[in-house]
């Protein structure tokens, strides 16, 4: 009888041990799967953030080249202006490529692309006004305020995208922290 109860006790122990092991394997699998999905969202947001930072850098270069062209030397700033325009156009292409992977952000991306193209066209138009009428013609254009509205709209659109991506990254960090706490709690219980 004693031998039977020992065998039964060992069998029950193994059933309990494998149940615990199965529970932890299931929880770990669920956490790994959720973490992988969260990492994909985070990586996408990081790509967007790098791209929007690059767009803002190219916009700054465009503004600097435009001012240099108009107020200093067209010859010295023609090429930097063309390089900045090319950089911003490449950023637009990259943004449109990312849109294919993030269909939920199509409207936001379309808006930013529209403002970026307006920004490029306005800058080119400013240079053509300078070429045709000089600094005074450009100053009259500046007084109208249309260029300022385009620059502000473009900047606001890019910053809105950055805020969205920062929020995704913050949520991801919070998710990972909560998952770690839940896992620790389960292990301790």
């Amino acid at each position: 009888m004693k031998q039977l109860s020992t065998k039964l006790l060992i069998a029950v122990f193994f059933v309990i041990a494998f149940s615990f092991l199965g529970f932890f394997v299931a929880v770990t699998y669920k956490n790994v799967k959720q973490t992988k999905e969260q990492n994909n969202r985070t990586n996408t947001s990081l790509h967007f953030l790098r791209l929007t930072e690059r767009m803002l850098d190219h916009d700054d270069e465009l503004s600097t080249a435009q001012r240099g062209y108009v107020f200093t030397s067209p010859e010295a700033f023609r090429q930097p202006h063309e390089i900045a325009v090319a950089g911003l156009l490449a950023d637009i292409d990259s943004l449109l490529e990312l849109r294919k992977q993030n269909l939920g952000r199509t409207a936001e991306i379309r808006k930013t692309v529209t403002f970026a193209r307006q920004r490029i066209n306005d800058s080119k138009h400013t240079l053509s006004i300078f070429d045709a009428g000089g600094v005074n013609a450009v100053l009259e254009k500046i007084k109208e305020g249309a260029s300022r509205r385009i620059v502000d709209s473009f900047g606001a659109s890019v910053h809105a995208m950055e805020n969205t991506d920062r929020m995704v990254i913050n949520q991801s960090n919070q998710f990972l922290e909560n998952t770690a706490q839940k896992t620790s709690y389960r292990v301790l219980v």
Side-chain angles (χ1 to χ4, degrees), residues 93-121:
D93 291 342
S94 296
L95 194 57
L96 291 172
E97 192 63 33
L98 278 175
R99 180 183 68 179
K100 294 176 185 175
Q101 302 165 9
N102 300 280
L103 297 176
R105 296 184 76 177
T106 298
E108 180 183 32
I109 291 169
R110 189 177 300 134
K111 180 179 174 183
T112 301
V113 166
T114 299
F115 287 136
R117 288 182 176 146
Q118 287 176 356
R119 174 73 180 101
I120 291 168
N121 292 335

Side-chain angles (χ1 to χ4, degrees), residues 5 37 47 69 183-184:
S5 65
E37 291 169 4
H47 286 300
Y69 188 97
T183 302
S184 298

